[in-house]
PDB file of all heavy atoms in Angstrom:
ATOM      1  N   ARG A  39     -58.706 -44.720  53.960  1.00  0.00           N
ATOM      2  CA  ARG A  39     -57.848 -44.557  52.726  1.00  0.00           C
ATOM      3  C   ARG A  39     -58.626 -44.770  51.420  1.00  0.00           C
ATOM      4  O   ARG A  39     -58.355 -44.083  50.490  1.00  0.00           O
ATOM      5  CB  ARG A  39     -56.594 -45.525  52.732  1.00  0.00           C
ATOM      6  CG  ARG A  39     -55.563 -45.208  53.740  1.00  0.00           C
ATOM      7  CD  ARG A  39     -54.647 -44.036  53.076  1.00  0.00           C
ATOM      8  NE  ARG A  39     -53.757 -44.622  52.157  1.00  0.00           N
ATOM      9  CZ  ARG A  39     -53.574 -44.204  50.889  1.00  0.00           C
ATOM     10  NH1 ARG A  39     -54.261 -43.215  50.471  1.00  0.00           N
ATOM     11  NH2 ARG A  39     -52.771 -44.725  50.068  1.00  0.00           N
ATOM     12  N   LYS A  40     -59.591 -45.719  51.426  1.00  0.00           N
ATOM     13  CA  LYS A  40     -60.226 -45.941  50.194  1.00  0.00           C
ATOM     14  C   LYS A  40     -61.527 -45.126  49.981  1.00  0.00           C
ATOM     15  O   LYS A  40     -62.041 -45.160  48.976  1.00  0.00           O
ATOM     16  CB  LYS A  40     -60.660 -47.476  50.069  1.00  0.00           C
ATOM     17  CG  LYS A  40     -61.727 -47.930  51.068  1.00  0.00           C
ATOM     18  CD  LYS A  40     -62.094 -49.420  50.822  1.00  0.00           C
ATOM     19  CE  LYS A  40     -63.269 -49.795  51.681  1.00  0.00           C
ATOM     20  NZ  LYS A  40     -63.682 -51.264  51.522  1.00  0.00           N
ATOM     21  N   ALA A  41     -61.845 -44.322  50.966  1.00  0.00           N
ATOM     22  CA  ALA A  41     -62.973 -43.466  50.910  1.00  0.00           C
ATOM     23  C   ALA A  41     -62.757 -42.348  49.877  1.00  0.00           C
ATOM     24  O   ALA A  41     -61.654 -41.745  49.866  1.00  0.00           O
ATOM     25  CB  ALA A  41     -63.386 -42.840  52.184  1.00  0.00           C
ATOM     26  N   ARG A  42     -63.674 -42.044  49.074  1.00  0.00           N
ATOM     27  CA  ARG A  42     -63.537 -40.970  48.122  1.00  0.00           C
ATOM     28  C   ARG A  42     -63.914 -39.574  48.710  1.00  0.00           C
ATOM     29  O   ARG A  42     -63.569 -38.518  48.078  1.00  0.00           O
ATOM     30  CB  ARG A  42     -64.365 -41.238  46.914  1.00  0.00           C
ATOM     31  CG  ARG A  42     -63.905 -42.432  46.018  1.00  0.00           C
ATOM     32  CD  ARG A  42     -64.717 -42.638  44.856  1.00  0.00           C
ATOM     33  NE  ARG A  42     -66.192 -43.050  45.250  1.00  0.00           N
ATOM     34  CZ  ARG A  42     -67.119 -43.290  44.352  1.00  0.00           C
ATOM     35  NH1 ARG A  42     -66.899 -43.082  43.057  1.00  0.00           N
ATOM     36  NH2 ARG A  42     -68.306 -43.647  44.793  1.00  0.00           N
ATOM     37  N   GLY A  43     -64.530 -39.553  49.865  1.00  0.00           N
ATOM     38  CA  GLY A  43     -65.010 -38.346  50.446  1.00  0.00           C
ATOM     39  C   GLY A  43     -64.194 -37.980  51.679  1.00  0.00           C
ATOM     40  O   GLY A  43     -62.962 -38.207  51.721  1.00  0.00           O
ATOM     41  N   ARG A  44     -64.842 -37.467  52.658  1.00  0.00           N
ATOM     42  CA  ARG A  44     -64.212 -36.947  53.842  1.00  0.00           C
ATOM     43  C   ARG A  44     -64.430 -37.934  55.071  1.00  0.00           C
ATOM     44  O   ARG A  44     -65.253 -38.730  54.987  1.00  0.00           O
ATOM     45  CB  ARG A  44     -64.737 -35.558  54.259  1.00  0.00           C
ATOM     46  CG  ARG A  44     -64.520 -34.517  53.205  1.00  0.00           C
ATOM     47  CD  ARG A  44     -65.341 -33.313  53.546  1.00  0.00           C
ATOM     48  NE  ARG A  44     -66.802 -33.655  53.517  1.00  0.00           N
ATOM     49  CZ  ARG A  44     -67.707 -32.997  54.168  1.00  0.00           C
ATOM     50  NH1 ARG A  44     -67.373 -31.929  54.892  1.00  0.00           N
ATOM     51  NH2 ARG A  44     -69.019 -33.356  54.092  1.00  0.00           N
ATOM     52  N   VAL A  45     -63.711 -37.691  56.085  1.00  0.00           N
ATOM     53  CA  VAL A  45     -63.943 -38.333  57.387  1.00  0.00           C
ATOM     54  C   VAL A  45     -64.806 -37.301  58.145  1.00  0.00           C
ATOM     55  O   VAL A  45     -64.517 -36.229  58.365  1.00  0.00           O
ATOM     56  CB  VAL A  45     -62.650 -38.571  58.157  1.00  0.00           C
ATOM     57  CG1 VAL A  45     -62.954 -39.171  59.549  1.00  0.00           C
ATOM     58  CG2 VAL A  45     -61.692 -39.489  57.399  1.00  0.00           C
ATOM     59  N   ILE A  46     -66.012 -37.832  58.456  1.00  0.00           N
ATOM     60  CA  ILE A  46     -66.966 -37.005  59.167  1.00  0.00           C
ATOM     61  C   ILE A  46     -66.821 -37.453  60.687  1.00  0.00           C
ATOM     62  O   ILE A  46     -67.252 -38.569  61.116  1.00  0.00           O
ATOM     63  CB  ILE A  46     -68.448 -37.205  58.769  1.00  0.00           C
ATOM     64  CG1 ILE A  46     -68.583 -36.930  57.254  1.00  0.00           C
ATOM     65  CG2 ILE A  46     -69.393 -36.388  59.577  1.00  0.00           C
ATOM     66  CD1 ILE A  46     -68.321 -35.421  56.916  1.00  0.00           C
ATOM     67  N   VAL A  47     -66.366 -36.600  61.508  1.00  0.00           N
ATOM     68  CA  VAL A  47     -66.069 -36.896  62.951  1.00  0.00           C
ATOM     69  C   VAL A  47     -67.185 -36.381  63.808  1.00  0.00           C
ATOM     70  O   VAL A  47     -67.656 -35.267  63.519  1.00  0.00           O
ATOM     71  CB  VAL A  47     -64.700 -36.258  63.462  1.00  0.00           C
ATOM     72  CG1 VAL A  47     -64.407 -36.808  64.898  1.00  0.00           C
ATOM     73  CG2 VAL A  47     -63.634 -36.684  62.509  1.00  0.00           C
ATOM     74  N   SER A  48     -67.661 -37.157  64.705  1.00  0.00           N
ATOM     75  CA  SER A  48     -68.830 -36.656  65.564  1.00  0.00           C
ATOM     76  C   SER A  48     -68.726 -37.159  66.987  1.00  0.00           C
ATOM     77  O   SER A  48     -68.206 -38.357  67.169  1.00  0.00           O
ATOM     78  CB  SER A  48     -70.165 -37.083  64.935  1.00  0.00           C
ATOM     79  OG  SER A  48     -71.282 -36.480  65.582  1.00  0.00           O
ATOM     80  N   GLY A  49     -69.204 -36.430  67.883  1.00  0.00           N
ATOM     81  CA  GLY A  49     -69.246 -36.790  69.276  1.00  0.00           C
ATOM     82  C   GLY A  49     -69.792 -35.645  70.107  1.00  0.00           C
ATOM     83  O   GLY A  49     -69.962 -34.490  69.562  1.00  0.00           O
ATOM     84  N   ILE A  50     -70.299 -36.023  71.226  1.00  0.00           N
ATOM     85  CA  ILE A  50     -70.905 -34.957  72.184  1.00  0.00           C
ATOM     86  C   ILE A  50     -70.078 -34.745  73.459  1.00  0.00           C
ATOM     87  O   ILE A  50     -69.358 -35.636  73.783  1.00  0.00           O
ATOM     88  CB  ILE A  50     -72.347 -35.441  72.455  1.00  0.00           C
ATOM     89  CG1 ILE A  50     -73.177 -34.216  72.996  1.00  0.00           C
ATOM     90  CG2 ILE A  50     -72.369 -36.544  73.512  1.00  0.00           C
ATOM     91  CD1 ILE A  50     -73.699 -33.378  71.907  1.00  0.00           C
ATOM     92  N   GLY A  51     -70.195 -33.649  74.042  1.00  0.00           N
ATOM     93  CA  GLY A  51     -69.470 -33.257  75.241  1.00  0.00           C
ATOM     94  C   GLY A  51     -67.964 -33.353  75.085  1.00  0.00           C
ATOM     95  O   GLY A  51     -67.485 -32.830  74.113  1.00  0.00           O
ATOM     96  N   LYS A  52     -67.271 -33.910  76.055  1.00  0.00           N
ATOM     97  CA  LYS A  52     -65.784 -33.986  75.948  1.00  0.00           C
ATOM     98  C   LYS A  52     -65.389 -34.745  74.750  1.00  0.00           C
ATOM     99  O   LYS A  52     -64.336 -34.405  74.142  1.00  0.00           O
ATOM    100  CB  LYS A  52     -65.256 -34.567  77.289  1.00  0.00           C
ATOM    101  CG  LYS A  52     -65.713 -33.859  78.544  1.00  0.00           C
ATOM    102  CD  LYS A  52     -65.357 -32.423  78.581  1.00  0.00           C
ATOM    103  CE  LYS A  52     -65.617 -31.852  79.972  1.00  0.00           C
ATOM    104  NZ  LYS A  52     -67.038 -31.726  80.263  1.00  0.00           N
TER     105      LYS A  52
END
Side-chain angles (χ1 to χ4, degrees):
R39 282 282 284 128
K40 73 178 183 181
R42 292 180 295 177
R44 299 166 299 157
V45 177
I46 302 297
V47 186
S48 190
I50 198 78
K52 304 301 186 295

